[in-house]
Amino acid sequence: MGKSAFVAIVGRPSAGKSTLINALCGEKVSIVSPVPQTTRNAVRGIVTRPEGQLVFLDTPGFHLSDKKLNKKLADVARAAFSNADIVLYVVDATRKAAAEEEALAAALSPVSNLMVAAINKVDAKEAAEPEARAFIEARFPTTQILSISALHKRGLDALLALLFSKATEGPTWYPEEYYTDQEPVFRIAEIIREKVMLHTREELPHAVYVAYANSNKEEDGSLEAAYDLVVERDSQKGILIGKAGSMIKQIREEAEADLASIFDYHIKLRLRVRVDQNWRSDEKRLTELIF
Ligand SMILES: Nc1nc2c(ncn2[C@@H]2O[C@H](COP(=O)(O)OP(=O)(O)OP(=O)(O)O)[C@@H](O)[C@H]2O)c(=O)[nH]1
Ligand SMILES: [Mg+2]
């Protein structure tokens, strides 16, 4: 039996948590965009090495807000770090630690003995690594701190070595070729949502969710899958469709290109836009979507 551990990756929105889980797993496990609050679910990524297996949980960025959606996202992050064997705290070296970082650090204090800290984005010219280090050291004096660049895959071998050194003897939960346990229906919806996040502005990225409609397996083994881009208000439909359908076409084409590199069968998407009035205030809908 080798070592194993559940490792929750936590940090502020846009700290680079999803970029990091992808870099560690060597595959696109979780979607990435420059828009804060891209990740909405606890997404699992698996790393199996001769030493054992680490199961990473990517989590939504910890954001202070009274909005229903943000509270749910914070709940997902809290549940993940409360149940993990190891907590990987990602601090963005390019942003000053303000009230949000302070609140996250306070929330992490009960699990400080399980924590490893990674200062991310040290490649960026605006990175202030000593400040980030001082912030962590002041609040978590016994926590080991590494500097990394998730984007340029720097410092990741040292990080994995540190995480394996903290893991204990335990079972291997997944077959060694697994890098995620997500169902294809969810992964496809997420890839589509990533393109929405990348191409829309201001409030719209946050006002969209992607819902599976139906699919058809063709005789040649390919899949035709229909998904709905769901917005909050009628006035948002036009922006997502774009001039003569240009926006939705771009979203579809870019999503299909990504899917081609992930799945070993061809996936053709059919996208529609529909309205689910004020879904972000709908407790039932949020419970379905945020987990
Ligand atoms: N320069 C630099 N940029 C990075 C690095 N890691 C992530 N980024 C960028 O930071 C932005 C946010 O990255 P994500 O991985 O989506 O961040 P996240 O923490 O998952 O964000 P949420 O899911 O919104 O909480 C993207 O534009 C990334 O390309 C890094 O090491 N260096
Ligand atoms: Mg993310």
Side-chain angles (χ1 to χ4, degrees):
M1 200 155 62
K3 289 183 156 191
S4 63
F6 278 89
V7 185
I9 306 179
V10 297
R12 292 167 74 186
S14 281
K17 301 175 292 300
S18 302
T19 306
L20 178 59
I21 200 171
N22 293 344
L24 290 168
C25 297
E27 301 283 348
K28 185 162 178 153
V29 169
S30 193
I31 64 169
V32 168
S33 93
V35 182
Q37 303 269 273
T38 293
T39 304
R40 292 182 182 162
N41 305 91
V43 171
R44 281 187 188 186
I46 302 148
V47 173
T48 309
R49 293 273 171 106
E51 303 92 299
Q53 187 168 75
L54 299 174
V55 179
F56 289 94
L57 281 103
D58 188 15
T59 66
F62 199 87
H63 175 54
L64 291 177
S65 163
D66 283 333
K67 290 190 181 152
K68 261 196 172 140
L69 173 64
N70 296 112
K71 283 184 165 174
K72 284 261 185 228
L73 295 175
D75 286 347
V76 174
R78 234 180 262 112
F81 70 68
S82 305
N83 294 309
D85 302 310
I86 301 173
V87 178
L88 174 53
Y89 176 27
V90 179
V91 177
D92 183 344
T94 67
R95 287 178 73 197
K96 270 205 160 56
E100 198 173 61
E101 195 79 68
E102 209 58 85
L104 174 55
L108 288 173
S109 82
V111 293
S112 60
N113 58 329
L114 307 176
M115 238 173 69
V116 165
I119 303 174
N120 190 32
K121 307 195 187 180
V122 296
D123 60 280
K125 63 175 185 311
E126 67 275 27
E129 193 183 351
E131 283 82 348
R133 189 171 288 270
F135 177 89
I136 302 164
E137 277 171 353
R139 283 146 194 90
F140 305 102
T142 59
T143 293
Q144 278 171 282
I145 308 171
L146 293 178
S147 293
I148 62 165
S149 165
L151 188 65
H152 296 289
K153 299 186 166 67
R154 290 214 311 254
L156 303 190
D157 286 338
L159 177 58
L160 280 176
L162 177 58
L163 293 171
F164 272 116
S165 79
K166 296 201 79 134
T168 52
E169 291 283 310
T172 304
W173 291 285
Y174 295 97
E176 74 178 291
E177 68 276 12
Y178 272 45
Y179 61 86
T180 189
D181 66 348
Q182 299 166 78
E183 297 295 336
V185 164
F186 176 79
R187 289 188 79 186
I188 296 169
E190 284 289 275
I191 298 283
I192 298 166
R193 197 167 62 80
E194 180 184 74
K195 307 312 169 196
V196 173
M197 304 290 299
L198 289 171
H199 294 297
T200 55
R201 302 265 163 281
E202 291 165 18
E203 197 51 22
L204 196 56
H206 303 292
V208 175
Y209 72 85
V210 178
Y212 169 75
N214 57 68
S215 63
N216 211 356
K217 199 111 191 156
E218 306 290 324
E219 266 173 25
D220 62 1
S222 67
L223 184 77
E224 189 175 280
Y227 283 80
D228 291 345
L229 307 184
V230 188
V231 291
E232 282 197 315
R233 293 191 304 274
D234 248 333
S235 59
Q236 294 165 333
K237 280 172 80 172
I239 311 172
L240 212 48
I241 294 167
K243 251 199 180 134
S246 57
M247 171 74 94
I248 198 157
K249 178 165 181 259
Q250 188 175 19
I251 290 168
R252 178 175 55 75
E253 287 176 349
E254 288 184 17
E256 283 176 345
D258 269 21
L259 293 171
S261 65
I262 294 174
F263 292 94
D264 53 14
Y265 47 91
H266 180 69
I267 301 175
K268 189 174 174 335
L269 295 175
R270 279 189 288 116
L271 302 181
R272 285 184 316 194
V273 180
R274 67 174 164 87
V275 178
D276 179 359
Q277 208 73 41
N278 295 325
W279 65 267
R280 279 186 290 173
S281 313
D282 180 346
E283 189 62 38
K284 191 166 153 276
R285 185 71 72 241
L286 289 176
T287 307
E288 276 168 28
L289 292 169
I290 313 299
F291 47 83

